[in-house]
Amino acid sequence: MISLDTFLFILASGVLLGGLYALMATGLAIVWTTLGVFNFAHGTFVALGAYIAWQVTQSVNGGMGFLLAAALSVIMMYGIGYLLHFVLIKPFERNANLVLLAVITTLAAASIIENHILIGWGPRDKQIVPPVSGAISAFGASINIYDIVVLAVALFSLLAMALFLRRTSIGRAMRAAAQNREVAELMGLNVSRLYAMTIGLSAATAALAGVFAGSLRFINPTFGTDPLMKALIIVILGGVARFTSPIYAAFIVGIAESVSVYFLGLYWAPAVLFAMMITVLLIKPEGLFGHRSRTL
Amino acid sequence: MTETPLLELRGLGGGYPPISVFRNIDLSVGMHESVGFFGPNGHGKTTLLKTVAGLIDPWEGDIIFAGNRLNAEGRMRARTSKNLNYDLFRKRRIRAETVVNAGLIYVMQGNLLFPEMTVEEVLDIAPLAAKGRTGITAMRQRVDDLFPRLQERRGSKIRYLSGGERQMVSIAVGLLALPQMLILDEPTLGLSPKLRIELAQAIRKIRDSRVPLIIVDQNIEFLTGLVDRLFLFDHGSITREIDSGSMPKHAEIMTMMFGEAN
């Protein structure tokens, strides 16, 4: 048997991972539910967000620098996501093969962004310095204060996003465009702009996830591969029936990952997660928290 | 008719490429007039209205509303190669946003609306098209009076509503855009006779408030009391125009369109 503090340590790191994954997966899920396409460039949004933040922290030090870096990264990635809609998806939206074409264009964008990161920032590992340090101990296990901050901010951002989509007119218009494009157009809503805003919002959450991930581990040009894979597993595992489905799934995946890393080792963790995903696909293809519809 | 028409279609033709659905549609609807469309299923009524509403590009002809042409000039270019992404270069010839902003509002048939949104949320975003114009508050009040049932179902998601309630939300959404003209596409489709009467009363009230209407329906008795003129639609073109004075019975129309055998 494992001791209580080991158990708590595994649980805590799993929950932290879950918070980060929830940010990554929700962004992917809102694009999937709204536009009906899968964004393979989502992982590179995480990476690019991390690099932008790192660049800012090079010029401004300390806690203020980190805040400024995070804010600039989120705002810039919103803009980049917004513009990319008009390059990657809009030109093909009247094509019957939109889903397939979007796979190709977003994969191309992922490759182009990744290589430009390599050209611009070089291959060497970098790390964003976390703004707070220190740890608190509870039940014999010590937990980093920064981990708690990351989890809190991640959950707060998701809550803010949910409220934005439910309570504000623009958020409601975005959901309307996601649920019935034709009727949204007949209401005079500018659906293209709402779609672009959805991708922007998705890229902004990816950037926030990137800033946090980049301060917890090292960033390099292929930094986006792992988040994309995890987000993919989560979205399939949890389904996209509700805004919260991928969030629950993210915590399941986070905890499953830290458990399997402890008991089976780092290299077996992805195998365990994919096995979980395949099992769910076989038994309940619409996802653990899904039913046969996709909505925002 | 001597007054200037509000909506005018000139030689309009269109469809889903490469299939032509309707052609040579010429009609005009006056400022204070309500007209009906009647015709069998699959003869292009809805496709025509979707084109007028800006969801589908017209192939040829013009859509003129309140003196302004809503579509791009000329004919649609035919697609000559299957390999190039023509959509990249070819602009839309009409946009739903332009049509809505001009005040021509189309209420779709069998409307699913937004299944996961509540009635209240839908009615909240409905006036976005008319933003900045006066009269939205008054129209909200009118919608509440017309459809008191929607007040009771405010918190329900659209997918839990009955067909009739859903139709009421659709019409309410159309009204909240402050229409100059309202197009109702088969508002009574699949409704019980009782609900049909209820809806007919609401539609009559809308007509009496001098909003010009275009109503499509399969039931001639339903249309008779509501419209001033009736257009018969057959195989993608308007074959006959009937004034309200000489409105025939359902059976007569059937004979007219399908011959004695019907």
Side-chain angles (χ1 to χ4, degrees):
Chain A
M1 273 308 285
I2 55 165
S3 60
L4 180 68
D5 56 331
T6 317
F7 172 75
L8 283 174
F9 174 75
I10 294 171
L11 192 69
S13 61
V15 169
L16 172 69
L17 276 179
L20 276 181
Y21 290 168
L23 273 182
M24 294 166 186
T26 305
L28 194 66
I30 62 168
V31 170
W32 167 240
T33 48
T34 303
L35 285 88
V37 300
F38 199 85
N39 177 16
F40 282 94
H42 194 69
T44 52
F45 287 175
V46 176
L48 191 56
Y51 271 98
I52 292 171
W54 179 83
Q55 193 62 54
V56 177
T57 55
Q58 291 311 103
S59 347
V60 191
N61 289 320
M64 267 319 286
F66 185 87
L67 277 181
L68 188 70
L72 269 177
S73 168
V74 165
I75 292 166
M76 280 182 73
M77 285 312 294
Y78 174 85
I80 290 170
Y82 187 96
L83 293 177
L84 279 179
H85 170 247
F86 294 99
V87 180
L88 301 180
I89 293 159
K90 179 96 199 300
F92 311 100
E93 69 182 357
R94 277 183 287 164
N95 195 305
N97 296 320
L98 170 66
V99 176
L100 181 67
L101 284 168
V103 170
I104 297 166
T105 55
T106 55
L107 270 177
S111 170
I112 291 168
I113 293 172
E114 198 170 296
N115 282 294
H116 276 82
I117 289 175
L118 185 61
I119 295 167
W121 281 289
R124 204 169 291 166
D125 281 356
K126 299 178 173 19
Q127 193 177 23
I128 301 166
V129 181
V132 287
S133 54
I136 53 165
S137 57
F139 306 105
S142 89
I143 298 166
N144 287 329
I145 293 172
Y146 183 58
D147 290 359
I148 297 170
V149 172
V150 168
L151 185 66
V153 174
L155 289 177
F156 177 78
S157 314
L158 290 172
L159 181 71
M161 193 154 102
L163 287 177
F164 169 75
L165 289 171
R166 293 210 161 269
R167 297 285 158 82
T168 66
S169 288
I170 298 174
R172 287 170 174 177
M174 283 165 78
R175 284 167 57 217
Q179 290 176 28
N180 195 335
R181 181 185 177 143
E182 272 194 332
V183 179
E185 278 183 24
L186 289 175
M187 285 168 73
L189 301 175
N190 187 338
V191 173
S192 283
R193 212 173 66 205
L194 292 168
Y195 279 6
M197 287 168 66
T198 306
I199 299 191
L201 195 62
S202 158
T205 53
L208 190 63
V211 173
F212 289 145
S215 55
L216 294 165
R217 49 182 103 146
F218 291 107
I219 48 179
N220 56 51
T222 58
F223 189 60
T225 316
D226 182 60
L228 176 68
M229 197 179 73
K230 295 289 158 49
L232 174 72
I233 293 173
I234 289 160
V235 167
I236 292 172
L237 195 77
V240 289
R242 309 186 74 95
F243 183 77
T244 46
S245 310
I247 299 176
Y248 297 141
F251 283 100
I252 293 176
V253 166
I255 291 167
E257 183 176 335
S258 66
V259 168
S260 44
V261 165
Y262 184 83
F263 289 104
L264 300 170
L266 190 61
Y267 291 101
W268 279 101
V272 171
L273 298 183
F274 273 111
M276 279 167 62
M277 183 187 90
I278 291 166
T279 313
V280 169
L281 267 181
L282 286 173
I283 296 167
K284 204 166 179 291
E286 64 268 37
L288 286 179
F289 311 104
H291 44 75
R292 289 187 187 283
S293 67
R294 55 177 180 82
T295 53
L296 188 61
Chain B
M1 213 178 354
T2 48
E3 58 179 339
T4 48
L6 182 58
L7 174 70
E8 204 180 347
L9 307 181
R10 289 184 195 153
L12 196 66
Y16 301 94
I19 297 155
S20 157
V21 177
F22 59 90
R23 59 207 76 79
N24 285 325
I25 303 285
D26 287 293
L27 68 87
S28 58
V29 183
M31 285 288 182
H32 306 295
E33 199 185 17
S34 290
V35 302
F37 275 27
F38 178 83
N41 272 331
H43 281 221
K45 298 185 303 282
T46 297
T47 312
L48 168 65
L49 294 179
K50 276 189 172 179
T51 307
V52 172
L55 290 177
I56 307 172
D57 284 338
W59 291 12
E60 56 190 2
D62 287 322
I63 302 162
I64 294 153
F65 188 74
N68 300 315
R69 195 181 57 234
L70 298 179
N71 58 314
E73 208 164 0
R75 310 169 119 256
M76 187 160 79
R77 260 195 301 163
R79 197 180 177 118
T80 48
S81 160
K82 285 192 167 166
N83 299 323
L84 291 173
N85 184 10
Y86 270 87
D87 298 339
L88 201 59
F89 311 107
R90 200 178 61 194
K91 280 202 164 142
R92 287 294 306 263
R93 302 197 59 234
I94 189 166
R95 288 173 33 151
E97 215 183 333
T98 324
V99 179
V100 173
N101 288 339
L104 181 58
I105 308 294
Y106 172 58
V107 178
M108 267 222 272
Q109 98 173 244
N111 207 334
L112 295 168
L113 277 167
F114 313 112
E116 300 295 325
M117 290 173 80
T118 64
V119 173
E120 193 178 12
E121 285 174 339
V122 173
L123 294 183
D124 168 62
I125 57 167
L128 283 181
K131 203 154 74 179
R133 283 165 50 196
T134 51
I136 294 174
T137 326
M139 187 55 91
R140 269 184 209 283
Q141 188 56 47
R142 284 221 17 232
V143 165
D144 289 347
D145 294 342
L146 272 178
F147 306 115
R149 195 196 285 254
L150 294 186
Q151 276 295 311
E152 298 160 25
R153 311 276 338 231
R154 219 171 16 193
S156 318
K157 283 188 178 176
I158 302 289
R159 73 188 167 105
Y160 297 123
L161 299 185
S162 71
E165 288 167 338
R166 222 175 271 179
Q167 197 60 53
M168 288 174 192
V169 180
S170 291
I171 296 176
V173 165
L175 285 174
L176 285 169
L178 304 182
Q180 307 288 317
M181 174 181 268
L182 195 63
I183 304 176
L184 303 175
D185 196 351
E186 305 216 12
T188 63
L189 191 76
L191 298 189
S192 68
K194 183 177 167 285
L195 263 175
R196 188 175 292 190
I197 293 166
E198 211 179 307
L199 212 58
Q201 280 165 355
I203 293 172
R204 184 164 295 126
K205 276 186 201 158
I206 296 169
R207 191 202 59 180
D208 293 345
S209 66
R210 299 180 77 71
V211 176
L213 297 174
I214 295 180
I215 310 171
V216 180
D217 214 275
Q218 304 273 349
N219 187 322
I220 209 88
E221 265 84 39
F222 176 76
L223 288 175
T224 310
L226 287 170
V227 300
D228 306 316
R229 278 189 300 155
L230 190 65
F231 294 102
L232 295 195
F233 214 80
D234 192 18
H235 289 97
S237 42
I238 292 171
T239 51
R240 216 180 163 117
E241 193 187 317
I242 302 168
D243 274 330
S244 62
S246 54
M247 215 53 103
K249 287 261 186 300
H250 191 76
E252 281 171 44
I253 295 238
M254 285 308 195
T255 321
M256 229 186 277
M257 295 189 93
F258 305 107
E260 290 298 335
N262 185 264

